Amino acid sequence: MVSASQSAHTGGVPILIQGGVVVNHDEQFRADVFIQDGLISLVDPSGQIKAPAGAKVIEASGKLVMPGGIETHSHLEMPFMGTTCCDDFFSGQAAAAAGGTTMHIDFALPVDHDIDAGFELWKANAQKSCIDYGFHMAVTRWDQATSDAMGRLVAAGVNSFKFFMAYKGALMVNDAELIAGFQRCKELGALPMVHAENGDAVAWGQDEVFRRGITGPEGHALSRPAVVEGEATARAIKLARFVGAPLYVVHVMSADAMEEVAKARKDGQRVIGEPIISGLALNESMMWHPDFKIAAQYVMSPPIRSAEHGAALRKALAQGTLQLVGTDHAVFNSTQKAAGRGDFRKIPNGVNGIEERMHVVWETMVNSGMMTPMDYVRVTSTAAAQIFNMYPRKGRIAAGGDADVIVFDPEEEHVLSASMHHSRMDTNVYEGMKIKGRVVATVSRGRLLWEDGKLHAQPGTGRFIPLPTGGALFHGLDKHHESEFVPTRYGPTPVDRPQDSGAIHTEL
């Protein structure tokens, strides 16, 4: 018999999760899990752990015990299109905890293109957080000051930078800026990320669709079709290959973009493709709904596509062509969305998902038979931990790791609804979706935040997680790129030429 009190980690309220099936991305086995002092102390398959006095015991028989979800794509408290997302760092993170997510990486935006100022603003906003979090930083202008600031942010714990190829006149960078940004990321060992849509084509498409008298939410889908996403994805991938940097493509929403990721990965390029749950589970038809309030809920960029695109994305995720699942949670309520009534170009872009992600992925991918529970752990937690260089501290149930753990009942049925969620959003794009399987307990850093339908989160109890650079995507990258960038098929380079080789010789 193992005594949990013998654990090296003491202090706090111990938690014993007993009788469940532990699921990691590469193994599944029955074991008890003992948590103390914010860490996983013991994972014991013998089932003989004895809880010390005062420990909280969670009975997990018939349930799955998995790593807490890691959300890689959220926008909390973000100012955008003349308004601000209605979920702040407490309401958004509390919703995340209720849905089984214990860590997220939020996208910070510069203040007037100043990424230092943007980082400070996001840090201040996050003081009300209740789970672990990190930051990506967007780069919206290129100059020496930005390059220098990227180095300071890396030292502060940021290991990824996002470049917008869309939102012309606001966030968009051009190709020269993209190349310079990719090179700086490579120097720093930070991961470059792209929002891949051709911004010039989108701007033209928006004006052309509006000129034809299409002013409602359906105009959003029509103005930025899959071809402009595919083109930008291909361009970003090829520029990353030219520079020799890895690349992370956020919110892959179309078969066009997915196929560019697949082609690059087949050629050995280090490209990560991130689908999001709206692209996997929904289709664009709701933007044609006759009720503007309902139709506007579904406006986001790149747009939700037709059902055929969703099917292709699900297949690519199941096969490993796409690696992990985010949400692009950026919520604007009905009043905020109404700013675009009569002009779809003014509808704030964004949908919910931070609370629904773990359930929607289970229903869409596991209950459909496309994925195993181990695959599910990989795409909702482990892959994110590996890509952003925090594995195995996070993304795995193992002794010594952070105690970010969920208990999941695969038999419990429930229905997603705005009336039940914990976001400040007044609508829900997954309204009425029936789910079999539910997170019944969420433990974040050893604290029980969600149990049996009750939320115990408190503002100001979250923690910033510095993310180190030089992750696995950079290992051996210089050798790989050198072989492509300096070809030697015609002999050594540079070519040794005589001093007078440039002289012009003539004969009479």
Side-chain angles (χ1 to χ4, degrees):
M1 179 174 290
V2 179
S3 172
S5 61
Q6 296 171 355
S7 168
H9 304 294
T10 59
V13 178
I15 298 174
L16 175 61
I17 303 173
Q18 63 181 16
V21 175
V22 170
V23 184
N24 285 318
H25 76 286
D26 57 355
E27 59 180 349
Q28 180 172 316
F29 56 95
R30 190 219 163 276
D32 293 344
V33 178
F34 183 69
I35 292 166
Q36 191 167 9
D37 197 26
L39 300 176
I40 298 171
S41 294
L42 297 169
V43 180
D44 180 39
S46 74
Q48 297 298 307
I49 293 180
K50 181 179 179 181
K56 166 70 176 178
V57 178
I58 299 175
E59 175 54 52
S61 297
K63 301 178 178 66
L64 306 177
V65 181
M66 300 186 283
I70 301 175
E71 158 69 301
T72 55
H73 195 146
S74 63
H75 300 277
L76 300 181
E77 222 164 323
M78 177 184 70
F80 187 57
M81 296 183 71
T83 187
T84 300
C85 291
C86 60
D87 267 338
D88 64 17
F89 269 82
F90 177 66
S91 65
Q93 290 188 358
T101 289
T102 55
M103 165 82 188
H104 78 112
I105 312 177
D106 203 71
F107 282 100
L109 295 182
V111 175
D112 294 329
H113 302 292
D114 184 336
I115 64 175
D116 281 323
F119 182 63
E120 293 302 320
L121 175 60
W122 252 254
K123 284 200 303 181
N125 290 344
Q127 292 305 303
K128 60 180 79 71
S129 66
C130 61
I131 64 173
D132 287 356
Y133 61 92
F135 296 128
H136 313 289
M137 174 52 70
V139 174
T140 58
R141 180 180 65 191
W142 190 257
D143 53 24
Q144 188 59 48
T146 298
S147 179
D148 293 342
M150 287 173 68
R152 291 191 292 273
L153 265 58
V154 160
V158 174
N159 71 358
S160 50
F161 294 90
K162 180 181 182 181
F163 300 85
F164 288 89
M165 301 172 75
Y167 301 117
K168 186 175 182 178
L171 302 174
M172 177 178 159
V173 297
N174 60 37
D175 285 358
E177 292 171 317
L178 200 61
I179 291 168
F182 285 178
Q183 175 61 27
R184 181 59 170 150
C185 284
K186 180 184 175 184
E187 292 171 355
L188 294 169
L191 182 60
M193 315 172 81
V194 289
H195 172 133
E197 289 181 288
N198 185 311
D200 291 318
V202 167
W204 180 87
Q206 287 178 322
D207 291 344
E208 180 66 15
V209 169
F210 191 79
R211 184 186 66 79
R212 296 185 184 190
I214 303 171
T215 62
E218 71 278 12
H220 180 75
L222 295 171
S223 68
R224 48 207 310 157
V227 65
V228 304
E229 184 188 356
E231 185 279 331
T233 304
R235 180 160 39 100
I237 287 172
K238 292 179 187 301
L239 292 178
R241 180 171 181 169
F242 176 63
V243 172
L247 184 66
Y248 185 113
V249 183
V250 305
H251 48 41
V252 175
M253 295 295 285
S254 65
D256 302 49
M258 176 273 291
E259 287 166 359
E260 296 297 339
V261 172
K263 185 189 307 181
R265 290 178 62 84
K266 184 178 178 181
D267 290 342
Q269 193 172 347
R270 299 182 185 184
V271 178
I272 300 296
E274 171 209 83
I276 58 176
I277 57 171
S278 57
L280 296 172
L282 305 176
N283 68 74
E284 67 185 359
S285 64
M286 292 301 288
M287 282 182 279
W288 274 258
H289 196 282
D291 185 331
F292 174 86
K293 177 181 176 181
I294 294 175
Q297 292 178 42
Y298 295 84
V299 170
M300 63 165 294
S301 296
I304 299 166
R305 308 291 185 189
S306 66
E308 293 80 9
H309 287 280
L313 295 176
R314 292 191 297 272
K315 183 177 179 180
L317 180 65
Q319 294 176 337
T321 301
L322 303 175
Q323 287 69 51
L324 73 169
V325 182
T327 68
D328 198 5
H329 181 90
V331 290
F332 301 95
N333 62 32
S334 298
T335 300
Q336 293 171 301
K337 291 273 188 176
R341 188 180 292 273
D343 187 348
F344 68 86
R345 297 170 297 182
K346 298 179 181 178
I347 301 173
N349 290 194
V351 301
N352 62 290
I354 202 167
E355 183 170 356
E356 295 80 11
R357 181 179 72 111
M358 301 291 281
H359 294 123
V360 171
V361 176
W362 183 269
E363 181 66 28
T364 304
M365 302 304 298
V366 181
N367 286 345
S368 68
M370 297 186 75
M371 279 188 164
T372 68
M374 287 187 290
D375 295 328
Y376 171 82
V377 168
R378 172 174 53 82
V379 301
T380 60
S381 184
T382 308
Q386 293 170 334
I387 291 166
F388 293 102
N389 211 10
M390 50 184 154
Y391 183 84
R393 175 184 180 182
K394 294 186 181 293
R396 188 171 188 85
I397 303 293
D402 285 355
D404 295 344
V405 182
I406 63 172
V407 180
F408 190 90
D409 185 345
E411 300 300 322
E412 184 171 338
E413 298 181 355
H414 59 118
V415 178
L416 301 180
S417 172
S419 65
M420 300 295 291
H421 71 205
H422 297 81
S423 167
R424 290 178 178 167
M425 185 67 173
D426 61 343
T427 61
N428 191 317
V429 294
Y430 307 98
E431 187 72 36
M433 180 179 287
K434 296 179 180 179
I435 308 288
K436 184 178 181 181
R438 188 170 198 169
V439 176
V440 295
T442 302
V443 178
S444 171
R445 215 168 68 249
R447 303 163 300 136
L448 184 59
L449 299 188
W450 172 258
E451 185 182 27
D452 297 331
K454 295 181 180 180
L455 191 61
H456 307 292
Q458 296 295 324
T461 58
R463 178 180 62 174
F464 173 66
I465 303 296
L467 302 175
T469 56
L473 287 169
F474 286 88
H475 295 175
L477 186 64
D478 284 341
K479 295 178 181 178
H480 179 68
H481 184 245
E482 186 76 8
S483 66
E484 295 183 0
F485 196 72
V486 186
T488 57
R489 58 186 179 273
Y490 301 119
T493 55
V495 176
D496 185 13
R497 293 182 173 88
Q499 290 295 323
D500 61 347
S501 61
I504 298 175
H505 299 280
T506 59
E507 293 184 4
L508 296 177

